Amino acid sequence: MAKSTSLRCRVLEGKDLPAKDVSGSSDPYCVVKVDNEVVARTATVWKSLNPFWGEEYTLRLPRGFRSLAIYVLDEDTIGHDDVIGKVSLSHQQISAQPRGIDSWLSLAPVDPDEEVQGEIHLEVQVPEQGHPRVLRCHLIGARDLAPRDPSGTSDPFARVSCCGHTQETAVIKKTRFPRWDEVLEFELAEGELGDAVLSVEVWDWDIVGKNDFLGRVELPVGAPGATKGWFQLLPFASSAEEPGGRLGSLRLAVRLVEDQVLPPHCYQPLIQLLAEPIRCPGQPPAGTALAVLEEATSGESRQDVATKLVKIFLAQGLAVPFLDYLIARELARTKDPNTLFRSNSLASKSVEMFMKVVGLPYLHEVLKPVVNRIFEEKKYVELDPCKMELSRGRRISFKGSLSEAQVRESSLGLLQGYLGDMVDAIVGSVEKCPPLMRAAFKQLRRRVEEQFPSAQHEEVRYFSISGFLFLRFFAPAVLTPKLFGLREQHADPRTGRTLLLLAKALQSIGNLGLQLGKEPWMAPLHAVLLPSVTRVKAFLDSLVEVDSTQAGEEPVPAAPFGPSATIKEGYLHVREAEEPSLLPRFAFKKRYFWLSTEALSYSKSPEWQARCRIPVPQMRAVERVDEGTFPQPHVMQVVAQDGAGQLRTTYIQCKGAQELWQWLWALRRASSTNQAMLPTCHPGAFRATRWSCCLQPARAAPGCSRTHGAVALGEWSDPLDPAAAAQSLYGHLRAAGARLREAAEGGPEGGAATEPPQEGQGGGAVWGRLQEVLRDLDVAHEDFARRHGVPRPPTDTDTDTDTDTAPPPAT
């Protein structure tokens, strides 16, 4: 059994940020930290005091995390980025809101004395007897201290106070991982021991100016005995005044999900019950566990339920029949074809998530070349006369500003070119589309034709597919390429406007030309859109012409990306730790890197066939290297275990800080399901006779820094873990306990909000079986709680005395 702690964090937008640039604006981005560890970074929004990011992360957190902090910074091309402010939320604040936090939060100023990090290793002994009694404080060492010197290190020493007496350790120069191994003794007078507190402060020694604070910890020493362990360093109590919104505000949506994930076999009865109508399709539609789950799922949790169901059925090899079942239920409730799949029903959300999980590599192959060209060219495009900036239609010239007609003509030509290339890429991608997607669309068309067979509804057979493929897949990806992994930065305002116009055009094509846009200034594009609709219809006809044997579905392995997909690639610099020299010019060599689900490989150029290879399953740590370790900045390390069991370290240098974090996160995501990951590593390098980080002389010395286990995942790049997904569904079912009872008993008073399962339809029988499965899971969780001394998840039986109130979500 494992404890799964995840935090769903949406960094939505900011408002009223202060201007940090001479232009009167800022270039803001956000950094997300968990316990002072950077786990995510948003893209930069250029020249805006009211930025919109809209980025969502699922953070896989280490057990017992303490705090979440989001920093807002202004990116500068020259010099260090300016810190605007931060929002901090403790574990207790987040867990106190079971439904999550979704609100505007004022940014607080960042005080260097409060920005502490790291841990200190102490052993405190208080004798039971003796005269005088002597308290012994053994300061063993510290790790991951904040760098306070320009070299990226510190010169730490510890100051220990107890009962009015103060002593200090020696100063350890140029390290963030000092090892003092000193014992300080304090004589305790009679009567001092009762309320005595041992205060340990860590400082960075400076030869000029005042010393810099690195953190503190306080331990009560009232009871005799020994206390030993690693203790988190904390800041001084804040004395800053409330900023009162002077630094602006940040809108966040944060929800903590803490689950005890049982062994996979415990969830098999629940998974089998959910899969029963898929494996045995003759059951009444209303008499299934899936039907009960769909009716009991609220709108706010529907996307999460859809994501988990898609991943469960992908792992079972039943994703296509699962979608077919939901689509059949949706069609049975639809009388007007014009409203088909327009709502955010479980069927619509499931198909949307299915496309993202299965079709993301396909999306990249089709759209990425055109999107990259738009970003690189940065052309000015505008059709709306009210938004035209005639002086920006071309670069400065002696001919002056362009007229409105000239800007419109130039913009129309650019849009036609971009749109034409996109449509060409889409309609020519039949063979590139994953067979699973094609099989799902084939079943979708068959169901729609059965429901609406008349000739007047002929367009519905096309729109049912294009509504998903264009309106929920291609168009959103063009509008926000960063959120679909097509780009690593948000578009600047000029490029963003071009993408918005192209997304509108793709939506019109997806609507088969039936809705060409309400804006009259989009009319010049109609001459391009209408012929494209004809080509798209032919593309959709070809897309569903797939052999059932070709689209045979197999269980999908538990990987965070598609099988053998290239996650990231580009030029970096590399050196092996085993190389004997560290000469600045020749230690790092330029190589072209590919990261796939299988391996990190590199060669001299993209065309070279001979490649060095680090298999992803052999990776044991992916960590940053301290600045100053090498002459080159922005270095990370990949520690892998070879076939002989030996650990080998590869150092990789990136061009900048953002590229470094992007590669770090991609490598950590790819290796997030690996076993036997290292708990510690060295953030420095072994030079001559010692490690540069902790100054230990042995090359085989254990790592001095904790490895970082928090992983930021997108909702559809999360690993396929059926047990974790089933545990999440169990939590949803328990949270909906009151609604499920109402459905089984015939609905709440005043009219049923859900369709009650009728005994004659099998609904009552499946409800009884579902209750039995959930009770078995309750028992398994209670058994775990007894054996490990943790609270059990709440169940619907906890609220039998008040059936009108649903129990809180399981945690």
Side-chain angles (χ1 to χ4, degrees):
M1 179 181 292
K3 182 178 177 66
S4 170
T5 303
S6 62
L7 190 72
R8 293 170 190 162
C9 178
R10 296 180 65 199
V11 183
L12 296 168
E13 56 186 320
K15 67 178 179 182
D16 301 329
L17 302 183
K20 292 291 185 179
D21 299 337
V22 293
S23 62
S25 187
S26 291
D27 304 314
Y29 67 93
C30 294
V31 168
V32 182
K33 289 186 177 183
V34 174
D35 295 340
N36 287 312
E37 173 194 347
V38 177
V39 294
R41 182 198 192 277
T42 70
T44 301
V45 178
W46 304 102
K47 296 182 176 17
S48 176
L49 300 180
N50 298 283
F52 178 82
W53 294 285
E55 299 194 22
E56 182 169 352
Y57 308 97
T58 298
L59 307 178
R60 289 295 178 88
L61 301 178
R63 189 170 183 174
F65 89 99
R66 291 173 287 266
S67 64
L68 169 76
I70 295 91
Y71 292 74
V72 182
L73 297 95
D74 167 58
E75 182 167 334
D76 289 330
T77 306
I78 301 175
H80 293 289
D81 295 348
D82 301 316
V83 179
I84 295 175
K86 71 173 182 178
V87 169
S88 297
L89 296 170
S90 68
H91 187 169
Q92 291 76 13
Q93 287 176 297
I94 300 171
S95 59
Q97 302 290 334
R99 293 181 177 272
I101 299 171
D102 187 349
S103 62
W104 286 96
L105 302 172
S106 295
L107 291 171
V110 175
D111 183 352
D113 283 343
E114 295 182 16
E115 299 303 304
V116 302
Q117 66 183 58
E119 298 171 302
I120 188 167
H121 197 188
L122 300 174
E123 182 178 13
V124 180
Q125 291 183 335
V126 180
E128 294 185 8
Q129 299 177 352
H131 184 77
R133 299 173 72 178
V134 177
L135 181 149
R136 292 168 51 87
C137 179
H138 183 191
L139 290 107
I140 304 169
R143 62 187 180 190
D144 296 310
L145 300 179
R148 296 299 195 208
D149 297 339
S151 62
T153 62
S154 291
D155 304 318
F157 70 94
R159 179 180 297 156
V160 185
S161 302
C162 184
C163 301
H165 308 286
T166 300
Q167 299 184 54
E168 295 181 354
T169 67
V171 176
I172 308 295
K173 297 288 189 71
K174 299 184 182 306
T175 181
R176 295 172 49 240
F177 304 87
R179 185 172 179 81
W180 296 290
D181 198 16
E182 293 188 32
V183 177
L184 304 181
E185 297 183 344
F186 296 85
E187 290 188 5
L188 301 175
E190 292 296 332
E192 287 187 337
L193 195 58
D195 299 322
V197 173
L198 180 76
S199 173
V200 182
E201 298 175 359
V202 183
W203 294 81
D204 167 50
W205 179 81
D206 287 332
I207 193 171
V208 178
K210 66 177 184 177
N211 298 331
D212 299 313
F213 178 67
L214 294 175
R216 67 196 293 259
V217 62
E218 290 187 343
L219 298 174
V221 293
T227 301
K228 183 177 180 179
W230 287 95
F231 299 90
Q232 182 192 18
L233 291 171
L234 301 174
F236 284 122
S238 176
S239 59
E241 296 181 2
E242 182 67 30
R246 294 193 301 271
L247 299 177
S249 302
L250 190 64
R251 187 184 170 204
L252 299 175
V254 179
R255 184 176 174 225
L256 181 67
V257 179
E258 292 183 301
D259 282 330
Q260 300 289 352
V261 181
L262 302 169
H265 68 84
C266 296
Y267 298 101
Q268 283 306 307
L270 177 59
I271 292 175
Q272 289 171 3
L273 190 58
L274 291 172
E276 203 169 75
I278 312 302
R279 298 184 185 276
C280 307
Q283 299 182 32
T288 66
L290 271 177
V292 174
L293 178 61
E294 180 180 8
E295 295 297 340
T297 301
S298 61
E300 61 187 18
S301 62
R302 193 161 290 143
Q303 178 164 315
D304 185 58
V305 170
T307 303
K308 299 303 186 292
L309 286 172
V310 165
K311 291 183 177 181
I312 285 176
F313 285 105
L314 275 172
Q316 296 279 311
L318 296 172
V320 172
F322 160 68
L323 296 176
D324 182 50
Y325 171 83
L326 291 182
I327 287 167
R329 280 179 54 83
E330 180 84 0
L331 283 167
R333 294 191 294 260
T334 304
K335 305 304 179 185
D336 182 2
N338 294 318
T339 64
L340 185 61
F341 303 125
R342 290 289 189 178
S343 65
N344 285 323
S345 63
L346 187 61
S348 299
K349 283 294 183 183
S350 296
V351 175
E352 182 179 342
M353 295 311 303
F354 169 77
M355 290 190 299
K356 290 176 179 177
V357 173
V358 174
L360 205 59
Y362 164 65
L363 178 80
H364 283 207
E365 188 173 3
V366 172
L367 293 182
K368 199 166 188 177
V370 184
V371 170
N372 284 344
R373 182 155 61 90
I374 295 169
F375 271 78
E376 291 162 3
E377 292 180 353
K378 297 183 183 297
K379 298 290 188 180
Y380 179 73
V381 175
E382 186 54 77
L383 296 179
D384 186 354
C386 299
K387 296 184 178 181
M388 283 186 183
E389 300 178 20
L390 302 181
S391 60
R392 297 180 62 184
R394 65 169 62 176
R395 295 183 179 179
I396 298 174
S397 70
F398 294 106
K399 297 182 180 179
S401 300
L402 295 175
S403 66
E404 182 179 307
Q406 289 174 312
V407 172
R408 185 185 302 109
E409 181 181 356
S410 170
S411 300
L412 187 60
L414 289 168
L415 285 175
Q416 288 175 342
Y418 293 143
L419 184 60
D421 290 345
M422 282 187 179
V423 173
D424 289 343
I426 292 171
V427 300
S429 68
V430 173
E431 298 303 322
K432 299 175 184 177
C433 186
L436 274 184
M437 284 181 63
R438 297 181 65 183
F441 290 144
K442 180 178 182 178
Q443 284 293 96
L444 171 59
R445 171 177 281 194
R446 184 176 70 83
R447 291 289 186 183
V448 170
E449 289 174 342
E450 290 174 355
Q451 181 71 15
F452 301 104
S454 63
Q456 63 177 345
H457 295 144
E458 183 179 356
E459 295 292 316
V460 181
R461 61 190 295 209
Y462 294 107
F463 176 73
S464 60
I465 302 175
S466 65
F468 284 116
L469 199 56
F470 281 81
L471 274 60
R472 294 177 182 256
F473 197 48
F474 288 138
V478 170
L479 181 62
T480 53
K482 168 71 169 63
L483 304 187
F484 284 77
L486 291 170
R487 296 289 297 186
E488 293 174 347
Q489 285 279 15
H490 284 303
D492 58 37
R494 174 181 288 197
T495 305
R497 182 61 179 171
T498 304
L499 295 174
L500 174 62
L501 295 175
L502 288 170
K504 284 177 174 286
L506 284 177
Q507 287 177 334
S508 297
I509 294 173
N511 284 317
L512 304 179
L514 301 177
Q515 300 177 17
L516 290 176
K518 301 177 182 178
E519 301 90 346
W521 43 267
M522 287 287 287
L525 272 180
H526 293 176
V528 180
L529 298 179
L530 293 176
S532 297
V533 169
T534 304
R535 299 178 63 198
V536 165
K537 286 184 176 180
F539 161 70
L540 297 177
D541 286 333
S542 301
L543 197 66
V544 298
E545 292 177 359
V546 56
D547 186 5
S548 58
T549 58
Q550 177 189 355
E553 189 172 356
E554 297 292 338
V556 178
F561 303 92
S564 302
T566 297
I567 301 167
K568 193 169 177 60
E569 59 184 299
Y571 276 107
L572 300 169
H573 291 76
V574 64
R575 74 169 295 276
E576 299 290 337
E578 287 69 27
E579 292 180 7
S581 66
L582 286 172
L583 297 177
R585 288 188 61 190
F586 304 108
F588 283 88
K589 300 173 183 177
K590 186 176 182 180
R591 294 292 183 264
Y592 194 86
F593 278 76
W594 296 265
L595 173 62
S596 72
T597 55
E598 298 173 349
L600 175 68
S601 55
Y602 56 94
S603 64
K604 285 190 175 181
S605 69
E607 293 78 22
W608 276 57
Q609 297 301 314
R611 300 180 181 180
C612 298
R613 192 170 183 272
I614 304 174
V616 167
Q618 294 182 6
M619 294 180 184
R620 297 294 175 260
V622 180
E623 298 293 325
R624 285 185 64 189
V625 174
D626 282 348
E627 296 295 325
T629 300
F630 298 104
Q632 299 85 351
H634 314 308
V635 179
M636 64 179 176
Q637 58 180 315
V638 178
V639 183
Q641 191 171 31
D642 62 19
Q646 297 296 314
L647 294 176
R648 298 187 177 276
T649 302
T650 301
Y651 295 103
I652 301 171
Q653 187 219 351
C654 303
K655 292 189 288 290
Q658 183 168 348
E659 184 181 60
L660 170 67
W661 284 113
Q662 289 163 355
W663 276 96
L664 267 175
W665 296 329
L667 284 162
R668 288 177 180 173
R669 285 197 298 265
S671 59
S672 62
T673 58
N674 285 6
Q675 302 297 318
M677 298 295 282
L678 294 175
T680 61
C681 73
H682 289 283
F686 192 82
R687 278 206 175 92
T689 61
R690 65 181 185 177
W691 285 96
S692 63
C693 46
C694 57
L695 311 181
Q696 294 186 73
R699 188 183 189 96
C704 56
S705 174
R706 287 186 304 111
T707 53
H708 299 99
V711 180
L713 300 163
E715 58 184 349
W716 58 82
S717 63
D718 211 352
L720 297 181
D721 186 346
Q727 170 62 30
S728 178
L729 292 181
Y730 162 75
H732 282 294
L733 288 167
R734 278 310 184 204
R739 290 196 301 275
L740 289 173
R741 282 196 301 275
E742 289 170 354
E745 295 165 3
E749 294 181 4
T754 60
E755 177 186 332
Q758 301 297 324
E759 188 70 38
Q761 300 173 324
V766 76
W767 167 239
R769 294 171 61 197
L770 186 58
Q771 279 186 313
E772 183 179 349
V773 168
L774 295 180
R775 278 196 296 267
D776 289 342
L777 286 171
D778 291 342
V779 171
H781 278 287
E782 289 170 355
D783 180 61
F784 174 83
R786 281 193 302 269
R787 286 187 286 110
H788 294 82
V790 297
R792 69 174 177 83
T795 69
D796 60 346
T797 58
D798 295 332
T799 57
D800 282 343
T801 57
D802 183 7
T803 57
D804 294 330
T805 303
T811 57

